[in-house]
């Protein structure tokens, strides 16, 4: 969740195209640079969000086709733009040079592929309690866990969203729930945790991540996947996962930047303040129940991304 | 609008108790029949509830034709596709009435995969005095039959029966988003994300695929069909809308497969408002012909547009439904609201259009005076037979009394489905699990 109370000051908004009009006397070059970097960060965040949504779509046997097509087109559009300004290539090159550390958002991959977690030898199983923690707090926990992140995220997900284990939302052979149960049994250290359902114990090594990173050598195009109604979930692309690495928590300012970028909305200074403060989660997040099936998942992904 | 917005009165606001609302109670479609005497709703639980308008009585003029429950039946049941290991929801996606031809009423209802034709008929007499059966329907012992008698019809309490007359299944691989009955009264089309099928109302075991936009390679898929409708008078013309914001008009006389459109309506993109969300917000969620057949109305995420069938390059009129959301598109994308499918309707004379928004708000636009109004369908702010107050959303600046700020809009309360009486100023608005019926003030 977005931290509350991080209302930005008016002076910060120099980077906003809205206010970079006559009133704000910023050196054009500086302003332009801030603008560009902030824009690319926002774009990156939007891409991350879209990829997560897209991968969640792929988990469904019969996703809402209209929605998945629109999201895929958005990703294409961003990719196209990134290819044009060279960002995309940098990312993929960085990946090719194998400089890809375990990414905290590799979690999305776990969501979307059949990782046989039980098969991977556990190095340091860590019990991880979810219940009782506030969303913002546990999101932080998830991200900070350096080497166990992937599975920890998974374990965070499974109790929070019961649909994950519900067969109706998953591709047939794609069973996550059983994975955890097996593991719980295997790990002696976490036996005490089994008393509480909410506590999941997991083990994961970096090996696992490297394994599937090297195993998957799919091209970026394949992320769009197919919209066929079918069971197999396409393994995600490492190049795209790499993109998750610099997620900017400030992407809730995207609205202003992305939608106001090329346009010149007529806003007074008062309006600007209003609009900035309005990016707080209060109004929109209250609608999280409106899409009951996927939204909870999305919400969790929000936590991961937004932390 | 001919009538002032504040002259609207709440006629009725009921359906199921708010406290007991479950997911299955959420209304997923609402539709008047061609005379306006009946109003049907479908819900996520697969049920169809039909309301009938009361006969007007001179003694109680204020109770002018209220709508009461006439019949309730389970149209669709949850099913399981064993081949795909897939649950098929029972949710009613659309209901369309057939024009009335005899004492019975017929309607088509559809979920994601199967269309059903229902007959709703009344019975107030039952036959009595059969020779071979007794009154309970059991066969009588032949030895006890000593005389012949003539069966007679005896009056009984009025009973409304709904019977499934036809089941049109196995023709859609994707989710059916709309159905439309042809003006020839013999055929209808059912539309899913990639195909349009033409059916004869009498024949359930075959349909004709008239539009197919499925690419050979599904990875190349960038566009889906979002809605389709027959022309109200020309039985060979239909229109379908796409997720890229265009509408295609097809003529079935040209070829059996209408892959080539005869008209293509699209508005060029305004480069000044371009963003990553441009395509998503231009995706058309509903398309409706005007009653006179001259215009098409389309709803996209932020606007409703009226197109003249003779002008393909731009819409005749564009109305902003909730332009204050333009600055919030990223959040709306994040929480998936941006994919909500709002519908739109014409009034009986095609002079006013209506469509829904968030926070239980719905909007009306008068095409002649260019006036518009925002109204709210909610229990808290409206009592039966009270006059609706216009609502205002404040956009930046100081919020005046009675205004609501964009940030306090409730995005879980959305009005997606509305319908307008074909001849009178009566509207029905579905707000989650509540149905609101509003009508003009009676003087």
């Amino acid at each position: 969740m977005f931290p509350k109370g991080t209302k930005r000051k008016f002076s910060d908004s120099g980077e906003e195209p809205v206010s970079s009009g006559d009133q704000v006397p910023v050196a054009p070059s500086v302003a332009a640079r801030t603008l560009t970097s902030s824009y690319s960060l926002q774009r990156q965040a939007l891409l991350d969000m879209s990829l997560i949504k897209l991968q969640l779509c792929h988990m469904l046997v019969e996703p809402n086709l209209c929605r998945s097509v629109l999201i895929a087109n958005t990703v294409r559009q961003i990719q196209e733009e990134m290819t044009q300004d060279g960002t995309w290539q940098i990312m993929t090159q960085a990946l090719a040079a194998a400089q890809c550390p375990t990414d905290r958002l590799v979690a999305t991959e776990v969501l979307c592929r059949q990782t046989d977690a039980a098969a991977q030898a556990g190095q340091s199983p860590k019990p991880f309690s979810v219940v009782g923690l506030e969303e913002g707090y546990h999101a932080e926990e998830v991200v900070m866990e350096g080497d166990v992140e992937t599975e920890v995220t998974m374990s965070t997900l499974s109790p929070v969203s019961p649909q994950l284990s519900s067969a109706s939302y998953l591709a047939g052979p794609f069973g996550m729930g059983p994975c955890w149960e097996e593991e719980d049994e295997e790990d002696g250290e976490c036996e005490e945790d089994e008393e509480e359902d909410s506590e999941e114990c997991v083990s994961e090594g970096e090996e696992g991540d490297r394994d599937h990173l090297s195993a998957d050598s799919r091209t970026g195009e394949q992320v769009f996947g197919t919209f066929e109604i079918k069971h197999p979930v396409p393994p995600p692309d490492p190049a795209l996962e790499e993109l998750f690495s610099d997620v900017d928590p400030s992407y809730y300012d995207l609205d202003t930047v992305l939608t106001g970028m090329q346009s010149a909305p007529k806003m007074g200074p008062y309006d600007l303040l209003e609009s900035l403060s309005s990016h707080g989660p209060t109004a929109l997040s209250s609608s999280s129940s409106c899409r009951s099936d996927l939204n909870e998942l999305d919400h969790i992904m929000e936590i991961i991304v937004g932390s | 609008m001919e009538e002032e917005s504040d002259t609207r009165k709440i006629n009725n606001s009921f359906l199921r108790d708010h406290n007991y609302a479950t997911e299955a109670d959420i209304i997923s479609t609402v539709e008047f029949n061609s005379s306006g005497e009946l109003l049907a709703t479908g819900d996520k639980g697969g049920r169809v509830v039909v309301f009938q308008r009361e006969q007007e009585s001179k003694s109680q003029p204020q109770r002018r034709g209220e709508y009461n429950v006439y019949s309730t039946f389970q149209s669709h049941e949850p099913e399981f596709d064993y081949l795909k290991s897939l649950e098929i929801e029972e949710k009613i996606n659309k209901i369309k009435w057939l024009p009335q031809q005899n004492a019975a009423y017929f309607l088509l209802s559809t979920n994601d995969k199967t269309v059903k034709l229902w007959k709703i008929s009344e019975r107030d007499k039952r036959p009595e005095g059969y020779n071979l059966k007794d009154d309970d329907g059991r066969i009588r012992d032949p030895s006890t039959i000593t005389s012949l008698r003539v069966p007679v019809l005896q009056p009984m309490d009025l009973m409304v029966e709904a019977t499934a007359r036809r089941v049109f299944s196995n023709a859609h691989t994707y989710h059916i988003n709309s159905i439309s009955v042809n003006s020839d009264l013999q055929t209808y089309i059912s539309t899913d994300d990639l195909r349009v099928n033409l059916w004869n109302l009498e024949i359930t075991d075959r349909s004709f695929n008239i539009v197919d936009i499925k690419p050979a390679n599904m990875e190349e898929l960038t566009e889906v069909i979002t809605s389709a409708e027959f022309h109200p008078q020309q039985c060979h013309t239909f229109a379908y809308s796409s997720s890229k914001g265009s509408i295609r008009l097809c003529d079935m006389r040209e070829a059996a497969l209408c892959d080539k459109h005869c008209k293509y309506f699209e508005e060029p993109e305004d480069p000044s408002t371009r963003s990553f969300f441009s395509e998503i917000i231009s995706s058309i969620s509903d398309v409706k012909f005007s009653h006179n057949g001259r215009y098409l109305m389309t709803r996209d995420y932020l606007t409703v547009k009226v197109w003249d069938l003779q002008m393909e390059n731009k819409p005749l009129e564009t109305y902003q439904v909730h332009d204050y959301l333009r600055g919030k598109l990223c959040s709306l994308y994040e929480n998936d609201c941006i994919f909500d499918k709002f519908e739109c309707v014409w009034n009986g004379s095609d002079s006013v259009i209506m469509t829904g928004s968030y926070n239980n708000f719905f909007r009306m636009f008068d095409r002649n005076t260019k006036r518009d109004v925002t109204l709210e369908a909610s229990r808290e702010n409206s009592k039966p037979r009270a006059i609706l107050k216009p609502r205002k959303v404040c956009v930046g600046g100081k919020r005046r009394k009675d205004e609501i700020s964009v940030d306090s809009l409730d995005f879980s309360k959305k009005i997606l489905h509305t319908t307008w009486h074909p001849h009178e100023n009566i509207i029905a608005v579905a707000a989650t699990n509540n149905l609101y019926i509003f009508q003009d003030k009676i003087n």
Side-chain angles (χ1 to χ4, degrees), chain A residues 62 67 73 255 263 283-284, chain B residues 175 272 279 327 330-331 336 407:
Chain A
E62 231 174 53
R67 179 175 172 273
N73 288 353
D255 288 335
S263 64
L284 287 173
Chain B
H175 292 172
S272 70
E279 184 184 329
C330 194
S331 317
D336 262 0
D407 296 325

Side-chain angles (χ1 to χ4, degrees), chain B residues 271-382:
Chain B
S272 70
T273 55
R274 224 191 85 83
S275 79
F276 285 125
F277 302 111
S278 297
E279 184 184 329
I280 300 179
I281 61 170
S282 69
S283 173
I284 293 175
S285 50
D286 196 16
V287 60
K288 293 270 168 66
F289 278 100
S290 61
H291 294 89
N292 62 18
R294 273 194 62 189
Y295 306 106
L296 271 170
M297 167 167 52
T298 57
R299 171 70 208 262
D300 57 39
Y301 190 61
L302 294 178
T303 68
V304 55
K305 291 174 180 157
V306 176
W307 304 76
D308 190 324
L309 287 194
Q310 310 303 326
M311 185 165 73
E312 297 169 58
N313 60 345
K314 64 172 197 287
L316 198 62
E317 297 150 23
T318 302
Y319 301 96
Q320 300 296 336
V321 178
H322 38 216
D323 202 47
Y324 42 80
L325 297 182
R326 196 174 284 278
K328 295 201 158 289
L329 292 178
C330 194
S331 317
L332 293 160
Y333 179 66
E334 191 187 344
N335 66 15
D336 262 0
C337 282
I338 205 168
F339 301 107
D340 285 334
K341 301 191 87 177
F342 292 99
E343 296 172 2
C344 51
V345 287
W346 298 89
N347 74 336
S349 60
D350 298 335
S351 60
V352 183
I353 56 186
M354 172 171 64
T355 190
S357 177
Y358 293 103
N359 205 50
N360 279 346
F361 287 172
F362 57 97
R363 304 263 290 145
M364 285 188 191
F365 303 94
D366 187 315
R367 299 181 55 215
N368 299 322
T369 65
K370 303 292 171 201
R371 290 176 60 172
D372 65 273
V373 66
T374 306
L375 299 171
E376 180 179 9
S378 79
R379 293 177 157 235
E380 293 76 25
N381 295 325
S382 55

Side-chain angles (χ1 to χ4, degrees), chain A residues 126-306:
Chain A
K126 289 196 180 180
F128 190 77
S129 167
V130 178
V131 169
L133 291 176
E134 277 189 43
E135 283 170 345
Y137 179 57
H138 90 231
E140 220 171 332
E141 284 270 308
V142 170
V143 178
M144 293 316 159
E145 294 288 343
D147 46 348
V148 291
E149 66 229 337
T150 310
E151 303 304 330
V152 166
T153 313
M154 267 303 295
S155 70
T156 321
L157 281 171
S158 34
V160 175
S161 63
Q163 315 93 303
L164 263 181
S165 54
S166 141
S168 60
Y169 289 109
L170 289 178
F174 185 54
M176 274 183 234
C179 252
W180 301 117
E181 284 159 30
E182 279 171 43
E183 205 169 32
D184 277 353
E185 283 159 26
E186 281 170 25
D187 284 319
E189 283 181 59
C190 5
E191 268 171 9
E192 51 186 333
D193 296 318
E194 288 175 6
E195 290 165 14
E196 286 179 69
D197 287 345
S198 57
E199 292 199 6
E200 299 279 334
C201 61
V202 283
S203 56
E204 168 63 12
E206 284 183 298
E207 265 182 35
D209 287 334
R210 259 184 248 119
D211 276 354
H212 43 73
L213 281 173
S214 54
D216 297 331
S217 54
R218 300 178 61 118
T219 63
E221 297 302 323
Q222 276 163 302
V223 140
F224 306 123
T226 72
F227 299 105
E228 292 294 358
I229 292 167
K230 59 171 191 180
H231 290 247
V233 179
D237 166 34
L240 289 164
E241 274 147 32
E242 170 64 9
L243 302 179
F244 285 90
S245 51
D246 34 27
V247 171
D248 187 337
S250 68
Y251 73 75
Y252 44 92
D253 287 330
L254 270 182
D255 288 335
T256 335
V257 173
L258 290 178
T259 52
M261 194 67 189
Q262 287 102 335
S263 64
K266 291 150 200 82
M267 279 176 123
Y270 195 91
D271 296 344
L272 178 68
L273 269 181
E274 190 81 11
S275 80
L276 286 176
S277 59
S278 75
H279 288 303
T282 40
L284 287 173
S285 60
S286 65
S287 61
S288 52
S289 61
C290 57
R291 233 166 240 268
S292 50
D293 44 2
L294 258 181
N295 225 36
E296 208 166 332
L297 275 179
D298 282 356
H299 176 67
I300 292 154
M301 300 318 297
E302 260 173 53
I303 295 168
I304 298 163
V305 179

